[in-house]
Amino acid sequence: MIDFKKITTGLAFCSLMIGFSTNSLAQNARIKIDLDRKIGEVDKKIYGNFVEHLGRCVYGGIYDPGNPLSDENGFRLDVLEAVKGLNVSLTRYPGGNFVSNYNWKDGVGSKEDRPTRLELAWSRLESNQFGTNEFMDYAKLMNTEPYFAVNLGTGSILEAQQWVEYTNVESGPYYAELRKKHGYEKPHNIKYWSLGNEMDGPWQMGHLSAEDYAKKAREAGKLMKLTDPSIKLVAAGSSNFYPGANPMHWNRVVIDELKDVVDYLALHMYVGNVEDNYYAFVASPLVLEERTHLVKGMIDEAMTRANRKGKDPIYIAWDEYNIWYRWRSSETMSGDIALEERYNLEDALVIASFLNAFIRNADVVKIANMAQLVNVIAPIFTNEEGLFLQTIYHPLALFAQYAHGTALDVFVDSETYNTGDFALGLGEQRADLKNVPYLDVSATVNGDEVIINVVNRHKDKAITTDILAFEGEFSGDFEVFEVNGPDIKAMNDFGKTTVETKSKSLKGKGDKVTYAFPAHSYTMIRAKIK
Ligand code: AHR
């Protein structure tokens, strides 16, 4: 962190109030933008999402044959349009816990011949009417890069190899020819593959010890890479800090054993306001950041001993993150209310802070996937007649559209608070965060455009903030987007939009502008510094 007092010396301040709020103004804060303080390139793959065969994510979500809102392939067109608004860069498929009892061969070929299976991860029946090729057709429509997970639970390393052959080999071997027989002449060329899902968790089918997982993942990865050397591999890390777990042991072993093999380590995080403690909840993404730093340290150490022959270091893939505490299980055998969280404004602020954390760690976090896309802990919620956009849709859409380029190390001076001891989520460890700034900030620069993302965690007060350009000047035109609502529990519903993005254009020139960030809000400022 830079010393604010030193760097401000000599700046000619041109104070300009560019925005006001109706809340009473509580505190003053400063944000300093220095274009030379670069963290790393923001990988657009941090704006990823996740489609799992679970509840109404696939069936009744993106795929709903026979519904008048669907096209001839069964894809819900209203859902597709909403999905496109998220600019989803990378979509993980088909699970999740589901993948650990999935045989991909059940989901290809003629639909009449596909078997219905008992699906043990979520206690449901899987019809297999949607599989690899349907997902790839959908991925093209949504303009996303696919990211597949192989089954390293009940599945074999051979099944994993054959899936890569089916999807990525042009012609010749049996499974490449089978794909062609299924109507897909050209390979799908799926570049990103994860080696199992949450294999550290006792709930995972085929759960392994870290040592056994590392061996199986290495051999699966070997066969997959022999089939297509261009693929990128993601190892299953551990971020499950439930009582008695030892996630850092798992990560140490897996990083060490796979340090020459994999390209990413996957981490997952779900938080929840289980104790109805607003200030603790909105600070909880800082724990994700702390875990990022811990794992980054382990990776850095392992990279000094690795033999990667000019390859990039291992990066972190937060390939599941979200708020999840209200609907924890399938609830019914039909699974029709599985994990159907309904989100409010405080949840949207947490999502904005997760995204801020990814940007602040852009040097190491190169993949992130919100879990999940539709209905199941999701930003889009459907019924048979339509859909609505949940509160968490809005920050994700804004970041994915605008927050690109280089992440900046921003100086923030804001009042702080302590959370005290609190539960991060269901079954999770407790945290006690000290000196949490009311303003949670990230910034990116792309050409001369600067994007500043600010969550004001204060529940009641706006925070008047001087935004300073260390070098150059704000050129005069600002576009301001704000996600907010009447109160922190405000929610959207069918036919009722309470929390959404509002935008305005403001004018102001100089090396300092002043803006009042409203209480409980997420604000994105688009500016130019010249
Ligand atoms: O996203 C819901 C579930 O959460 C996934 O299936 C699993 O990987 C995680 O525990």
Side-chain angles (χ1 to χ4, degrees):
M1 208 46 95
I2 46 184
D3 180 337
F4 180 78
K5 284 193 192 75
K6 271 188 214 143
I7 59 171
T8 54
T9 314
L11 275 184
F13 288 135
C14 160
S15 185
L16 202 51
M17 191 67 102
I18 62 165
F20 299 94
S21 154
T22 49
N23 310 88
S24 58
L25 304 181
Q27 309 169 331
N28 291 314
R30 291 171 299 172
I31 295 173
K32 181 173 276 290
I33 308 291
D34 180 347
L35 301 182
D36 286 331
R37 296 195 67 91
K38 299 182 167 84
I39 297 169
E41 286 307 293
V42 174
D43 195 315
K44 72 171 187 183
K45 293 192 293 301
I46 65 168
Y47 305 123
N49 221 297
F50 177 29
V51 169
E52 177 167 7
H53 285 243
L54 196 187
R56 297 192 304 123
C57 184
V58 173
Y59 305 106
I62 62 177
Y63 181 72
D64 200 1
N67 187 306
L69 295 167
S70 300
D71 69 7
E72 65 286 1
N73 296 313
F75 298 136
R76 274 278 293 262
L77 295 175
D78 58 336
V79 176
L80 181 62
E81 204 184 312
V83 166
K84 283 183 178 165
L86 289 173
N87 284 302
V88 184
S89 51
L90 180 78
T91 306
R92 184 167 176 250
Y93 175 81
N97 295 340
F98 166 76
V99 81
S100 296
N101 71 164
Y102 180 56
N103 188 334
W104 68 268
K105 292 173 196 167
D106 291 341
V108 294
S110 142
K111 288 196 176 178
E112 306 83 72
D113 298 335
R114 297 188 195 175
T116 295
R117 299 278 187 205
L118 183 57
E119 200 281 282
L120 299 169
W122 302 102
S123 308
R124 47 183 278 282
L125 292 177
E126 172 55 56
S127 70
N128 283 304
Q129 293 302 293
F130 188 98
T132 301
N133 295 317
E134 288 76 24
F135 177 77
M136 288 309 300
D137 290 343
Y138 194 72
K140 273 195 200 87
L141 294 176
M142 66 188 271
N143 195 22
T144 195
E145 172 123 33
Y147 166 25
F148 275 31
V150 299
N151 175 355
L152 288 194
T154 63
S156 70
I157 61 174
L158 185 61
E159 274 163 36
Q161 180 277 327
Q162 290 166 340
W163 205 1
V164 178
E165 182 181 311
Y166 183 88
T167 57
N168 286 16
V169 175
E170 178 121 26
S171 59
Y174 176 79
Y175 286 103
E177 293 300 320
L178 187 64
R179 182 200 66 243
K180 286 160 73 179
K181 275 194 205 129
H182 292 163
Y184 293 82
E185 188 59 30
K186 290 280 160 218
H188 295 309
N189 291 326
I190 294 159
K191 184 168 170 189
Y192 297 93
W193 292 84
S194 86
L195 299 164
N197 174 71
E198 292 186 354
M199 296 302 296
D200 62 310
W203 59 88
Q204 202 68 208
M205 281 167 278
H207 159 59
L208 296 168
S209 68
E211 292 76 10
D212 289 346
Y213 168 72
K215 268 187 215 153
K216 189 168 181 181
R218 186 194 291 114
E219 294 310 302
K222 186 201 290 177
L223 270 63
M224 292 161 74
K225 278 222 161 199
L226 285 169
T227 308
D228 179 355
S230 73
I231 61 173
K232 300 276 182 197
L233 297 174
V234 184
S238 174
S239 27
N240 293 298
F241 286 68
Y242 56 84
N246 190 351
M248 288 307 161
H249 167 75
W250 174 282
N251 289 332
R252 198 170 293 116
V253 171
V254 168
I255 292 168
D256 203 50
E257 292 292 324
L258 301 179
K259 62 182 176 302
D260 299 333
V261 177
V262 299
D263 302 283
Y264 300 86
L265 183 82
L267 299 175
H268 293 175
M269 186 162 188
Y270 295 100
V271 295
N273 192 2
V274 287
E275 297 169 333
D276 200 14
N277 178 348
Y278 166 82
Y279 278 111
F281 180 51
V282 292
S284 57
L286 294 174
V287 178
L288 173 142
E289 202 157 359
E290 186 180 276
R291 292 179 187 178
T292 302
H293 296 159
L294 283 174
V295 173
K296 179 181 188 300
M298 286 183 185
I299 291 173
D300 287 348
E301 190 276 330
M303 290 303 96
T304 64
R305 294 177 290 107
N307 178 13
R308 297 180 66 84
K309 299 197 185 98
K311 278 201 286 188
D312 285 341
I314 294 176
Y315 293 126
I316 293 175
W318 279 103
D319 67 11
E320 287 184 32
Y321 73 91
N322 208 339
I323 294 112
W324 177 23
Y325 67 108
R326 300 169 178 100
W327 291 98
R328 285 295 291 190
S329 65
S330 297
E331 307 296 332
T332 67
M333 183 65 184
S334 68
D336 60 357
I337 54 166
L339 283 62
E340 296 200 355
E341 296 261 352
R342 303 288 280 263
Y343 293 110
N344 60 24
L345 175 60
E346 64 187 17
D347 297 325
L349 302 183
V350 168
I351 291 301
S353 287
F354 274 135
L355 294 163
N356 273 346
F358 299 145
I359 288 183
R360 287 194 293 260
N361 294 278
D363 54 334
V364 64
V365 177
K366 297 293 185 184
I367 287 179
N369 302 77
M370 177 181 272
Q372 301 185 1
L373 189 58
V374 184
N375 291 329
V376 172
I377 41 175
I380 299 164
F381 200 95
T382 71
N383 64 16
E384 287 186 357
E385 284 90 48
L387 62 81
F388 73 93
L389 304 180
Q390 298 235 49
T391 61
I392 61 170
Y393 182 97
H394 299 289
L396 183 60
L398 280 172
F399 273 83
Q401 188 170 355
Y402 296 113
H404 295 281
T406 306
L408 296 174
D409 182 6
V410 181
F411 174 85
V412 181
D413 174 26
S414 129
E415 282 187 25
T416 62
Y417 64 93
N418 299 331
T419 62
D421 181 46
F422 72 101
L424 268 175
L426 284 180
E428 263 274 5
Q429 76 171 26
R430 301 183 74 79
D432 177 8
L433 301 169
K434 305 235 180 330
N435 301 316
V436 176
Y438 282 100
L439 293 189
D440 181 63
V441 184
S442 74
T444 56
V445 60
N446 203 2
D448 61 2
E449 177 170 283
V450 174
I451 299 290
I452 308 167
N453 299 294
V454 181
V455 175
N456 178 5
R457 297 182 170 114
H458 206 294
K459 191 151 58 122
D460 311 303
K461 305 287 187 191
I463 298 183
T464 305
T465 306
D466 289 340
I467 307 173
L468 305 148
F470 180 56
E471 264 181 41
E473 295 201 333
F474 292 105
S475 69
D477 294 318
F478 296 83
E479 201 173 0
V480 178
F481 302 96
E482 182 182 313
V483 178
N484 207 343
D487 62 80
I488 56 171
K489 301 292 181 192
M491 298 170 82
N492 297 338
D493 206 337
F494 293 102
K496 180 185 127 195
T497 304
T498 313
V499 176
E500 61 184 336
T501 303
K502 295 202 167 119
S503 68
K504 59 191 169 195
S505 297
L506 297 170
K507 295 255 177 233
K509 235 174 162 345
D511 51 17
K512 180 175 102 171
V513 292
T514 304
Y515 191 81
F517 294 100
H520 54 64
S521 65
Y522 158 57
T523 304
M524 172 184 276
I525 298 181
R526 283 181 82 193
K528 282 194 177 4
I529 295 183
K530 290 188 175 155

